[in-house]
Amino acid sequence: MEDIRKLPKYNVTATLQCAGNRRTAMSKTKTVKGVGWDVSAIGNAVWGGAKLADVLELLGISKLTTITHLNGKHVEFVSVDKCKEENGGPYKASIPLIQATNPEADVVLAYEMNGEPLTRDHGYPLRVVVPGVIGARSVKWLEAINIIAEECQGFFMQKDYKMFPPSVNWDNINWSTRRPQMDFPVQCVICSLDDVTTIKPGKVKISGYAASGGGRGIERVDVSVDGGKSWIEASRFQKSGIPYITDADNSVKWAWVLFEVTADILHNTEVIAKAVDSAANIQPEKVEDIWNLRGILNTSWHRIQVQVAH
């Protein structure tokens, strides 16, 4: 820890999102296996610590290295946390070496969160934060970092958090046919209204969050108050009172974007939100099209039923 603290400290604002965020809505289509998250398996914080690229450079692995002289291609993070899925062994995950050694990827060995020492719940004394990637790869309570030839063979890399088509079930699944999920797709959620919400007729503020993985910013958030017949573009911001401009500030390219719009709602209706990222990726309309047996990456249009009471 002393060596890590001597390195330059970086603050990276990054959103961590569980791959199973919004799993509950996916399970309404057909039962899935996993914790029944609603829309809150996500958080945004300022992570302070040393860049992993600087730590690896201390070991003689230079920036932007794809493979080491000993054939190392991946960086594995091992936790002190033990889990039954590993038969009592440690939780672990890995990322490609080229990502770990790229300063622009902003992978941080964090010992602070929001300007304060990391708490035990969030991984004290040290955790890795891999921005733009599903939360399962940001390993907490780090005990060891290994340079390995193949990607981590742990349970949560090889037999979990993989995206399968709707046709795959637990009888015909073949885990080896899919890569471990890394970047998370474009996501958007309404937070100011619950499903189902009863309101008075008139103007209603609709707000929430949008995020996309891989450092892709949010280009647009569209909201409909008539079940998708027409759309209004919402305003976007990351800090109160400051309009959001994609890529305007490199330090927040990994952070979520908050959106807000006010619309007239006079009758019972369905309110919908969908986002578009800077690569023009757009959320799928129907959850049925992306259903998968583990219930991950539910990024379908977020729908809220609203009832109007006079």
PDB file of all heavy atoms in Angstrom, residues 280-293:
ATOM      1  N   ALA A 280     -24.042   5.801 -31.614  1.00  0.00           N
ATOM      2  CA  ALA A 280     -25.377   5.631 -32.198  1.00  0.00           C
ATOM      3  C   ALA A 280     -26.000   4.285 -31.856  1.00  0.00           C
ATOM      4  O   ALA A 280     -26.924   3.840 -32.533  1.00  0.00           O
ATOM      5  CB  ALA A 280     -25.352   5.843 -33.716  1.00  0.00           C
ATOM      6  N   ASN A 281     -25.503   3.635 -30.797  1.00  0.00           N
ATOM      7  CA  ASN A 281     -26.183   2.447 -30.294  1.00  0.00           C
ATOM      8  C   ASN A 281     -27.455   2.883 -29.586  1.00  0.00           C
ATOM      9  O   ASN A 281     -27.455   3.881 -28.857  1.00  0.00           O
ATOM     10  CB  ASN A 281     -25.293   1.687 -29.301  1.00  0.00           C
ATOM     11  CG  ASN A 281     -24.032   1.171 -29.957  1.00  0.00           C
ATOM     12  OD1 ASN A 281     -24.087   0.530 -30.998  1.00  0.00           O
ATOM     13  ND2 ASN A 281     -22.885   1.455 -29.357  1.00  0.00           N
ATOM     14  N   ILE A 282     -28.536   2.123 -29.800  1.00  0.00           N
ATOM     15  CA  ILE A 282     -29.820   2.474 -29.204  1.00  0.00           C
ATOM     16  C   ILE A 282     -30.368   1.258 -28.469  1.00  0.00           C
ATOM     17  O   ILE A 282     -30.072   0.118 -28.826  1.00  0.00           O
ATOM     18  CB  ILE A 282     -30.806   2.975 -30.279  1.00  0.00           C
ATOM     19  CG1 ILE A 282     -32.032   3.614 -29.636  1.00  0.00           C
ATOM     20  CG2 ILE A 282     -31.202   1.866 -31.245  1.00  0.00           C
ATOM     21  CD1 ILE A 282     -32.867   4.453 -30.588  1.00  0.00           C
ATOM     22  N   GLN A 283     -31.138   1.488 -27.445  1.00  0.00           N
ATOM     23  CA  GLN A 283     -31.684   0.391 -26.659  1.00  0.00           C
ATOM     24  C   GLN A 283     -32.717  -0.410 -27.453  1.00  0.00           C
ATOM     25  O   GLN A 283     -33.483   0.166 -28.229  1.00  0.00           O
ATOM     26  CB  GLN A 283     -32.329   0.936 -25.380  1.00  0.00           C
ATOM     27  CG  GLN A 283     -31.338   1.553 -24.420  1.00  0.00           C
ATOM     28  CD  GLN A 283     -32.042   2.197 -23.242  1.00  0.00           C
ATOM     29  OE1 GLN A 283     -32.100   3.417 -23.159  1.00  0.00           O
ATOM     30  NE2 GLN A 283     -32.591   1.392 -22.351  1.00  0.00           N
ATOM     31  N   PRO A 284     -32.763  -1.735 -27.250  1.00  0.00           N
ATOM     32  CA  PRO A 284     -33.790  -2.534 -27.916  1.00  0.00           C
ATOM     33  C   PRO A 284     -35.167  -2.224 -27.353  1.00  0.00           C
ATOM     34  O   PRO A 284     -35.321  -1.924 -26.162  1.00  0.00           O
ATOM     35  CB  PRO A 284     -33.378  -3.980 -27.608  1.00  0.00           C
ATOM     36  CG  PRO A 284     -32.538  -3.887 -26.391  1.00  0.00           C
ATOM     37  CD  PRO A 284     -31.849  -2.557 -26.441  1.00  0.00           C
ATOM     38  N   GLU A 285     -36.169  -2.301 -28.209  1.00  0.00           N
ATOM     39  CA  GLU A 285     -37.523  -1.934 -27.797  1.00  0.00           C
ATOM     40  C   GLU A 285     -38.121  -2.943 -26.817  1.00  0.00           C
ATOM     41  O   GLU A 285     -38.735  -2.574 -25.820  1.00  0.00           O
ATOM     42  CB  GLU A 285     -38.421  -1.822 -29.034  1.00  0.00           C
ATOM     43  CG  GLU A 285     -39.863  -1.467 -28.715  1.00  0.00           C
ATOM     44  CD  GLU A 285     -40.720  -1.339 -29.954  1.00  0.00           C
ATOM     45  OE1 GLU A 285     -40.170  -1.352 -31.072  1.00  0.00           O
ATOM     46  OE2 GLU A 285     -41.954  -1.218 -29.797  1.00  0.00           O
ATOM     47  N   LYS A 286     -37.942  -4.233 -27.083  1.00  0.00           N
ATOM     48  CA  LYS A 286     -38.645  -5.261 -26.315  1.00  0.00           C
ATOM     49  C   LYS A 286     -37.678  -6.112 -25.500  1.00  0.00           C
ATOM     50  O   LYS A 286     -36.659  -6.572 -26.010  1.00  0.00           O
ATOM     51  CB  LYS A 286     -39.444  -6.164 -27.254  1.00  0.00           C
ATOM     52  CG  LYS A 286     -40.502  -5.433 -28.049  1.00  0.00           C
ATOM     53  CD  LYS A 286     -41.159  -6.381 -29.043  1.00  0.00           C
ATOM     54  CE  LYS A 286     -42.191  -5.656 -29.901  1.00  0.00           C
ATOM     55  NZ  LYS A 286     -42.760  -6.556 -30.935  1.00  0.00           N
ATOM     56  N   VAL A 287     -38.047  -6.362 -24.252  1.00  0.00           N
ATOM     57  CA  VAL A 287     -37.223  -7.206 -23.391  1.00  0.00           C
ATOM     58  C   VAL A 287     -37.220  -8.650 -23.891  1.00  0.00           C
ATOM     59  O   VAL A 287     -36.240  -9.379 -23.708  1.00  0.00           O
ATOM     60  CB  VAL A 287     -37.707  -7.122 -21.928  1.00  0.00           C
ATOM     61  CG1 VAL A 287     -39.095  -7.737 -21.767  1.00  0.00           C
ATOM     62  CG2 VAL A 287     -36.721  -7.778 -20.995  1.00  0.00           C
ATOM     63  N   GLU A 288     -38.294  -9.058 -24.561  1.00  0.00           N
ATOM     64  CA  GLU A 288     -38.363 -10.437 -25.065  1.00  0.00           C
ATOM     65  C   GLU A 288     -37.240 -10.752 -26.047  1.00  0.00           C
ATOM     66  O   GLU A 288     -36.765 -11.889 -26.131  1.00  0.00           O
ATOM     67  CB  GLU A 288     -39.717 -10.697 -25.752  1.00  0.00           C
ATOM     68  CG  GLU A 288     -40.914 -10.665 -24.825  1.00  0.00           C
ATOM     69  CD  GLU A 288     -41.436  -9.248 -24.572  1.00  0.00           C
ATOM     70  OE1 GLU A 288     -40.857  -8.287 -25.116  1.00  0.00           O
ATOM     71  OE2 GLU A 288     -42.423  -9.106 -23.824  1.00  0.00           O
ATOM     72  N   ASP A 289     -36.799  -9.728 -26.795  1.00  0.00           N
ATOM     73  CA  ASP A 289     -35.772  -9.945 -27.816  1.00  0.00           C
ATOM     74  C   ASP A 289     -34.394 -10.192 -27.223  1.00  0.00           C
ATOM     75  O   ASP A 289     -33.510 -10.730 -27.893  1.00  0.00           O
ATOM     76  CB  ASP A 289     -35.708  -8.745 -28.771  1.00  0.00           C
ATOM     77  CG  ASP A 289     -36.984  -8.581 -29.579  1.00  0.00           C
ATOM     78  OD1 ASP A 289     -37.731  -9.572 -29.703  1.00  0.00           O
ATOM     79  OD2 ASP A 289     -37.243  -7.469 -30.073  1.00  0.00           O
ATOM     80  N   ILE A 290     -34.183  -9.778 -25.972  1.00  0.00           N
ATOM     81  CA  ILE A 290     -32.860  -9.938 -25.354  1.00  0.00           C
ATOM     82  C   ILE A 290     -32.909 -10.821 -24.112  1.00  0.00           C
ATOM     83  O   ILE A 290     -31.931 -10.898 -23.364  1.00  0.00           O
ATOM     84  CB  ILE A 290     -32.242  -8.565 -25.001  1.00  0.00           C
ATOM     85  CG1 ILE A 290     -33.204  -7.736 -24.149  1.00  0.00           C
ATOM     86  CG2 ILE A 290     -31.837  -7.807 -26.257  1.00  0.00           C
ATOM     87  CD1 ILE A 290     -32.601  -6.459 -23.591  1.00  0.00           C
ATOM     88  N   TRP A 291     -34.044 -11.497 -23.907  1.00  0.00           N
ATOM     89  CA  TRP A 291     -34.159 -12.389 -22.749  1.00  0.00           C
ATOM     90  C   TRP A 291     -33.029 -13.413 -22.770  1.00  0.00           C
ATOM     91  O   TRP A 291     -32.683 -13.953 -23.823  1.00  0.00           O
ATOM     92  CB  TRP A 291     -35.514 -13.104 -22.751  1.00  0.00           C
ATOM     93  CG  TRP A 291     -35.716 -13.973 -21.542  1.00  0.00           C
ATOM     94  CD1 TRP A 291     -36.319 -13.623 -20.381  1.00  0.00           C
ATOM     95  CD2 TRP A 291     -35.263 -15.329 -21.370  1.00  0.00           C
ATOM     96  NE1 TRP A 291     -36.289 -14.672 -19.489  1.00  0.00           N
ATOM     97  CE2 TRP A 291     -35.646 -15.735 -20.070  1.00  0.00           C
ATOM     98  CE3 TRP A 291     -34.573 -16.236 -22.179  1.00  0.00           C
ATOM     99  CZ2 TRP A 291     -35.370 -17.003 -19.557  1.00  0.00           C
ATOM    100  CZ3 TRP A 291     -34.287 -17.499 -21.673  1.00  0.00           C
ATOM    101  CH2 TRP A 291     -34.685 -17.873 -20.384  1.00  0.00           C
ATOM    102  N   ASN A 292     -32.447 -13.668 -21.612  1.00  0.00           N
ATOM    103  CA  ASN A 292     -31.441 -14.717 -21.489  1.00  0.00           C
ATOM    104  C   ASN A 292     -31.554 -15.352 -20.120  1.00  0.00           C
ATOM    105  O   ASN A 292     -32.036 -14.739 -19.169  1.00  0.00           O
ATOM    106  CB  ASN A 292     -30.026 -14.171 -21.750  1.00  0.00           C
ATOM    107  CG  ASN A 292     -29.640 -13.078 -20.780  1.00  0.00           C
ATOM    108  OD1 ASN A 292     -29.067 -13.321 -19.720  1.00  0.00           O
ATOM    109  ND2 ASN A 292     -29.974 -11.822 -21.124  1.00  0.00           N
ATOM    110  N   LEU A 293     -31.117 -16.596 -20.020  1.00  0.00           N
ATOM    111  CA  LEU A 293     -31.397 -17.396 -18.824  1.00  0.00           C
ATOM    112  C   LEU A 293     -30.768 -16.853 -17.540  1.00  0.00           C
ATOM    113  O   LEU A 293     -31.240 -17.166 -16.449  1.00  0.00           O
ATOM    114  CB  LEU A 293     -30.991 -18.850 -19.063  1.00  0.00           C
ATOM    115  CG  LEU A 293     -29.511 -19.253 -19.047  1.00  0.00           C
ATOM    116  CD1 LEU A 293     -29.408 -20.776 -19.238  1.00  0.00           C
ATOM    117  CD2 LEU A 293     -28.682 -18.575 -20.110  1.00  0.00           C
TER     118      LEU A 293
END
